[in-house]
Amino acid sequence: MNLNTFKMMLLTIFGTVGSFIINVLLGGWTEDLATLLIFMGIDFVMGLLIAAVWKKSGKSETGSLNSISAWKGLIRKGCSLLVVMVAYRLDVTLGVTYIKTAVIIAFIANEGISIVENYGIMGGPMPKVLKRAFEILQERADNAGEEKEKNLNDWN
């Protein structure tokens, strides 16, 4: 087997596994899921920059880059995706369509607030309109879950 064949086989395996995770376990590729993944990536990169360049990370004693803290951050983001998976499976089980969306919106709000805070740590001006938008998003996610919960109770 030559290198090109091995490379194509490896890429096929990654594509198949990725497609299975997105389509079967997370309920398909949606705009809100794409937004969440983009925000997670931006937040992670900004966290790395804060530690590596500004040395102001609250995750280590010296404020500098720490591989354990980076791994913890990735694990936390991975666990967030597991919660999205649970929410999707609850949607399927209960025959509803709002739980996954509400969970994703709540995580988008959290990631967005973290991005704004990271930007402030970097010395950038704090965009109040963005921070307020993420707070509103969080409130709506919380309220949507409560309103839909009433409908679910009526279903039983």
Side-chain angles (χ1 to χ4, degrees), residues 11-88:
L11 290 174
T12 301
I13 290 169
F14 279 127
T16 303
V17 170
S19 176
F20 175 79
I21 290 170
I22 295 294
N23 290 314
V24 176
L25 299 180
L26 292 173
W29 191 258
T30 57
E31 289 302 317
D32 54 358
L33 181 60
T35 301
L36 176 60
L37 293 174
I38 290 167
F39 280 25
M40 285 178 158
I42 291 169
D43 183 51
F44 184 74
V45 169
M46 288 180 86
L48 290 177
L49 289 172
I50 286 170
V53 177
W54 281 268
K55 308 233 184 289
K56 292 184 177 180
S57 173
K59 310 289 184 194
S60 67
E61 290 181 26
T62 62
S64 61
L65 198 56
N66 180 324
S67 63
I68 298 295
S69 296
W71 276 111
K72 285 181 181 178
L74 285 176
I75 290 169
R76 197 170 15 255
K77 290 182 187 313
C79 287
S80 295
L81 293 175
L82 289 175
V83 172
V84 171
M85 185 186 313
V86 168
Y88 170 67

Side-chain angles (χ1 to χ4, degrees), residues 99-128:
I99 300 171
K100 173 188 159 191
T101 301
V103 167
I104 289 175
I105 290 171
F107 283 137
I108 288 171
N110 288 338
E111 294 291 335
I113 290 169
S114 180
I115 289 168
V116 171
E117 289 171 350
N118 286 343
Y119 187 58
I121 291 171
M122 292 175 172
M126 187 68 78
K128 290 180 184 177

